[in-house]
Amino acid sequence: MNAITQAVPFPLQTVFYRGLTQSLKHVGKVIGLFVRPPEMFTGPGASLLLGDAIAGSGVKRLLIVTDAQLAKLGLVQPLQDHLTELGVFVAVYDGVLPDPGVEQIEEGLRVLQQERCEAVLAIGGGSAMDCAKLIATRATNPSKSVLEMAGFFKVPTAPLPIYCVPTTAGTGSEVSVGAVVSDPAQQRKLPVIDHKLVPAMAALDGQLMLGLPPAITAATAMDALTHAVEAYISRIATPESDRYALEAVSLIMRHLPRVMKDGRDLNSRQLMAWAAYRAGLALSRGGLGYVHGIAHNFGALYHTPHGWANAIVLPYVLEYSKSDCIPRLAELARASGLASGTESDAELADKFIQRIHTLKQECGIPAGLADLRAEDIPQIAAAALQEAHFTYAVPRYMDQKTCEGLVRRMLVRASSGVR
Ligand SMILES: NC(=O)c1ccc[n+]([C@@H]2O[C@H](COP(=O)([O-])OP(=O)(O)OC[C@H]3O[C@@H](n4cnc5c(N)ncnc54)[C@H](O)[C@@H]3O)[C@@H](O)[C@H]2O)c1
Ligand SMILES: [Fe+2]
């Protein structure tokens, strides 16, 4: 895309890009046709009901994929014990680190093979869920490396059955068609996107999120918010993805401030889990945008937590995109309860973006990224555009120079841009 458009004047690039995004509609349609949402269990204690369903489905040997921190916090043991009582043999791989790489996937795969497991259960955030999805995928595709399966529809054989218990309300990986893998050698993060990666069953259990620290609560919620917003302003949004996105935005705007104030508010925790799930459904149909393109590269270069990176980038990309999606942003403002009934759409679009700035402040998320180095900006912009221009149907096209200028606004030491 960049090579095609480099010789074309900037205003024409937008027209070019719109034409090309039409082809993404086919991807959206294919995903829409084949996505079979997981069977969901929701409510406090739902994870144990998922255990009943796993045992009831005839699984005899199961691999739990989690991280050591969650195991230490006691979030894994009750479900593990429950499954054992039901006669399921359980092996545990707890080596997942944030933004898992190929090494951890291969390590988990070895445990799965040694213990002859026939299904995989993730208990954790997006990192554990994505790692579990890719372990299950490698198990049935031994001749393909994870990196060879990165991209769209490159998974030849369906993975082993995947079950998910998210412990953060953020990524929506429990329902999404994707899994993200880090490639530290190339300092990049790559999505594996295939409808075969949608889990078979998942449980949204707010009880497991009561102890989520405020910084992780905020960052993961901003990830979910970004999924809903990017899917809603996407050029391939559908009435179905719109419904999910609006529901997610409305819930997050109401309940994020509540869980930030009182992390043990079970009702709001449960509704945040539901919102993240709905945002995951929205992104699986409408896709993502430049926010994720840039945020993935902050993650790859500086290990910025995924949601934190999205939160920093989100308002800047919306300010840039606004001119091409004012009615959509106005609708998001209405869903957020920001409309008094007298404003124009343009005023509401501004109100929505302003609310994201203030929400970030209330959550302790800064306007800029302290780790960002000016000399990295050209590389970040190039990688973000390469990711976005082949994958996302963004409302307003951006070229390299514009993207560099936008990322520069997130430099903490820059006097402009950082509020
Ligand atoms: N597959 C998808 O559709 C998708 C979408 C967005 C992001 N992602 C990926 O997901 C990953 C990020 O996932 P994440 O934001 O959920 O964070 P995470 O899974 O990396 O977890 C962050 C930290 O929170 C801790 N934690 C998780 N649950 C907890 C709980 N209940 N109590 C206390 N601590 C808890 C973990 O131990 C970890 O240290 C990234 O790699 C990102 O690229 C995937
Ligand atoms: Fe995300």
Side-chain angles (χ1 to χ4, degrees):
M1 172 70 192
N2 288 337
I4 301 170
T5 55
Q6 254 159 19
V8 181
F10 182 49
L12 279 181
Q13 290 175 8
T14 308
V15 178
F16 246 73
Y17 188 64
R18 278 188 194 165
L20 283 180
T21 55
Q22 294 308 312
S23 62
L24 286 174
K25 281 202 167 154
H26 298 299
V27 175
K29 270 187 201 146
V30 173
I31 290 177
L33 274 177
F34 289 106
V35 169
R36 157 203 46 77
E39 192 177 334
M40 298 300 296
F41 299 86
T42 67
S47 52
L48 298 180
L49 295 179
L50 172 65
D52 293 339
I54 293 172
S57 73
V59 172
K60 294 277 178 268
R61 301 182 74 86
L62 179 75
L63 178 71
I64 289 184
V65 175
T66 187
D67 69 51
Q69 168 77 1
L70 296 178
K72 215 165 91 191
L73 287 172
L75 294 184
V76 177
Q77 204 66 47
L79 181 49
Q80 184 180 347
D81 290 348
H82 187 59
L83 283 158
T84 308
E85 276 162 25
L86 294 169
V88 180
F89 168 84
V90 179
V92 178
Y93 171 65
D94 67 0
V96 177
L97 297 173
D99 302 328
V102 175
E103 220 172 274
Q104 287 153 64
I105 294 158
E106 296 304 311
E107 219 172 75
L109 178 67
R110 278 194 290 279
V111 180
L112 177 137
Q113 287 167 337
Q114 268 161 20
E115 303 294 350
R116 292 176 288 112
C117 297
E118 54 196 344
V120 180
L121 164 64
I123 304 179
S127 297
M129 290 192 279
D130 286 6
C131 191
K133 282 173 154 182
L134 295 174
I135 291 169
T137 304
R138 277 281 291 127
T140 54
N141 293 279
S143 62
K144 289 261 174 197
S145 72
V146 175
L147 296 182
E148 280 170 339
M149 292 188 277
F152 278 109
F153 307 120
K154 291 192 180 162
V155 175
T157 308
L160 294 179
I162 300 163
Y163 310 108
C164 285
V165 178
T167 61
T168 59
T171 67
S173 184
E174 68 275 12
V175 70
S176 80
V177 291
V180 183
V181 58
S182 294
D183 177 11
Q186 305 282 335
Q187 291 191 315
R188 57 187 182 162
K189 286 178 80 174
L190 298 168
V192 179
I193 300 169
D194 198 300
H195 57 277
K196 300 187 192 87
L197 262 59
V198 177
M201 295 191 255
L204 305 176
D205 188 341
Q207 195 94 43
L208 302 178
M209 300 174 187
L210 296 178
L212 204 56
I216 302 177
T217 299
T220 49
M222 292 304 283
D223 184 27
L225 181 68
T226 307
H227 295 159
V229 171
E230 292 209 290
Y232 194 70
I233 63 174
S234 155
R235 287 188 182 277
I236 59 165
T238 65
E240 193 190 4
S241 66
D242 285 353
R243 214 174 51 243
Y244 296 137
L246 289 172
E247 185 185 354
V249 169
S250 164
L251 284 170
I252 293 166
M253 289 296 193
R254 263 185 297 148
H255 293 280
L256 176 56
R258 293 186 194 174
V259 291
M260 289 304 290
K261 213 162 126 203
D262 175 12
R264 301 200 68 78
D265 179 337
L266 184 57
N267 182 51
S268 287
R269 285 286 191 196
Q270 192 63 47
L271 288 168
M272 286 298 292
W274 181 260
Y277 156 64
R278 300 308 253 187
L281 283 171
L283 90 87
S284 283
R285 286 149 180 80
L288 298 170
Y290 286 130
V291 182
H292 271 77
I294 297 168
H296 282 151
N297 287 287
F298 285 172
L301 272 184
Y302 311 121
H303 304 289
T304 316
H306 176 71
W308 199 261
N310 277 324
I312 290 172
V313 182
L314 180 60
Y316 299 102
V317 169
L318 292 184
E319 275 161 16
Y320 173 77
S321 310
K322 188 180 80 178
S323 58
D324 283 36
C325 56
I326 285 177
R328 294 247 126 193
L329 292 176
E331 208 48 56
L332 290 174
R334 289 185 192 99
S336 306
L338 299 173
S340 65
T342 56
E343 306 94 334
S344 66
D345 275 5
E347 285 165 340
L348 282 175
D350 285 334
K351 263 193 166 180
F352 183 68
I353 298 171
Q354 197 45 43
R355 178 63 191 130
I356 290 172
H357 280 298
T358 57
L359 188 60
K360 277 171 62 176
Q361 277 164 6
E362 288 163 23
C363 291
I365 299 173
L369 180 66
D371 289 331
L372 179 62
R373 298 182 312 173
E375 58 270 34
D376 295 336
I377 291 176
Q379 177 195 341
I380 291 169
L385 295 185
Q386 192 181 18
E387 173 180 329
H389 288 168
F390 283 104
T391 337
Y392 309 141
V394 295
R396 187 177 177 206
Y397 175 81
M398 204 185 283
D399 69 356
Q400 173 76 18
K401 210 168 128 234
T402 313
C403 190
E404 284 180 24
L406 187 139
V407 176
R408 200 161 290 118
R409 295 186 64 198
M410 291 167 237
L411 272 171
V412 165
R413 276 181 217 100
S415 51
S416 65
V418 175
R419 276 152 281 225

